[in-house]
Amino acid sequence: ETNFIIANGLSGWKKDVFEILCTIGKEEVTLSEILAYTSQLERKHPNNNHVQAKIRQQLQSLRDIGLLDFLGNGVYKMLC
């Protein structure tokens, strides 16, 4: 599957957030749906005290490399 190949090319937080998007499994996903995984990422990254800010940062990064489009009002569209 394409998303599996893409995930293997990512690392760290970017990979973690992309895998969450794949887990949600919808073409369009809301920020609140993504942030529902905050506690999972807090467990994975216990030294980060700003997990939700990091998630938002990684969504911007995934957008910048062409994997996501930001549609506005907290809605993202998978482009892969």
Side-chain angles (χ1 to χ4, degrees), residues 43-60:
R43 287 190 298 277
K44 192 166 187 176
H45 301 278
N47 295 325
N48 188 312
N49 296 320
H50 306 283
V51 170
Q52 290 191 354
K54 191 69 172 180
I55 292 169
R56 287 182 181 90
Q57 177 191 54
Q58 296 310 305
L59 290 169
Q60 290 174 357

Side-chain angles (χ1 to χ4, degrees), residues 13-63:
W13 274 95
K14 200 172 295 164
K15 182 175 185 169
D16 293 344
V17 172
F18 185 78
E19 287 176 344
I20 286 170
L21 293 167
C22 293
T23 298
I24 295 170
K26 297 181 351 185
E27 184 179 356
E28 291 185 9
V29 61
T30 66
L31 181 59
S32 60
E33 288 174 309
I34 300 163
L35 293 179
Y37 290 81
T38 298
S39 60
Q40 175 183 321
L41 289 171
E42 285 173 340
R43 287 190 298 277
K44 192 166 187 176
H45 301 278
N47 295 325
N48 188 312
N49 296 320
H50 306 283
V51 170
Q52 290 191 354
K54 191 69 172 180
I55 292 169
R56 287 182 181 90
Q57 177 191 54
Q58 296 310 305
L59 290 169
Q60 290 174 357
S61 179
L62 290 168
R63 178 203 62 204

